[in-house]
Amino acid sequence: MRDGSGEDNNVAPSVFSHVSRPGSHRYKNAKKGLPFNLMLVGESGLGRTTFLNTLCERVVVPPSEPPNPEQAHIAEPMQFKHYSVDMEEDGMRILLNIIDTPGFGNGTDNESCFNQIQEYLETQFDDVLSEENRIKRNIKFKDLRVHALLYFINPTGHSLRQIDIELMRRLGNRANVIPVIGRSDSLTPRELVLFKQRIMDDIAAYGIPVFSFPISENDEDDEETVEENAELRAMLPFATVGCEEVINEDGRPVRVRTYPWGVVQVDNDEHSDFDRLRYVLLNSHIGDLRERTQNDIYELYRTEKLSGNTASAASNPTAETPQSHAAMEPHPRSVFA
């Protein structure tokens, strides 16, 4: 990408990236940093912790102690664990707040997990709604609404399971749900292609409202953005691999997972979708995810809340999310977008 001066504006999203991509931050003048809230949901063993450390390019969550074999049969209750990382991406300071959910899906009945996550998401909306209605705003108020929810799918190679379908259906109107295949290197390239197609077929068949990189209805998107979003939709669900091993290859650091049959380069687009997903979250679509959270998801919840219909809406995941808050009822201009 070049600006009017003819200079190349492409940047390497990460020191580990194998390719450069257009620098597209719209918030570089935000001196205090841009808050971005990311939730990770998925069963144990799908690489959420390693993904988090790989995403932040540092050890955010240290290795945990191996479980006691005598207590392995005891399902730990789900918890919400918060991690804050102050980082810089493409010249932009990002205040990344991660909410992890260890213990999700470990029991035979996961209804309580669904309810806890939904309640957490709605509590953040309620806090913002309450703050908006204050006569005098609290300048120290922290907006903790989740801007993106990564749901890690078990790489079974078959199709979505009931827990996957129910979770994404329940939360699709409360967050930008992005499906991710965890430990995707356990599948062959052919198996991965077929698994992705089956997942997207299920998402369409069950009407699961995932974030699908929508195109502007007002023709505001340029041709490059339209092409990029179409390419990203075709990549769904993102196949990710995480690792904390770094080797030197031709004088540059490369993050790899080493196996007897070879290596998987985490940031190589031919091996994994990780680098592209990282770029989406922390660069190209960070603004879109924040704006859709404010203008569509939150406004839908706000309307339901004020009309007393939140319970019915939560049980109807196919309810349409508005594309623009302009059509909504008049409301105080939010300071949290």
Side-chain angles (χ1 to χ4, degrees), residues 311-335:
S312 60
S315 62
N316 179 22
T318 59
E320 293 186 3
T321 302
Q323 295 302 309
S324 171
H325 68 282
M328 307 297 291
E329 62 179 301
H331 62 281
R333 177 65 177 173
S334 174
V335 297

Side-chain angles (χ1 to χ4, degrees), residues 125 145 172-176 211 214-215 217 288-304 319-328 331 337:
F125 291 150
R145 289 175 297 182
N173 284 332
R174 295 295 182 253
N176 292 305
F211 182 75
I215 298 174
E217 295 183 349
D288 295 331
L289 292 164
R290 283 170 50 88
E291 289 167 10
R292 186 171 185 271
T293 299
Q294 167 65 30
N295 298 340
D296 295 350
I297 299 175
Y298 170 66
E299 286 304 321
L300 174 65
Y301 178 79
R302 178 182 177 278
T303 300
E304 295 167 357
E320 293 186 3
T321 302
Q323 295 302 309
S324 171
H325 68 282
M328 307 297 291
H331 62 281

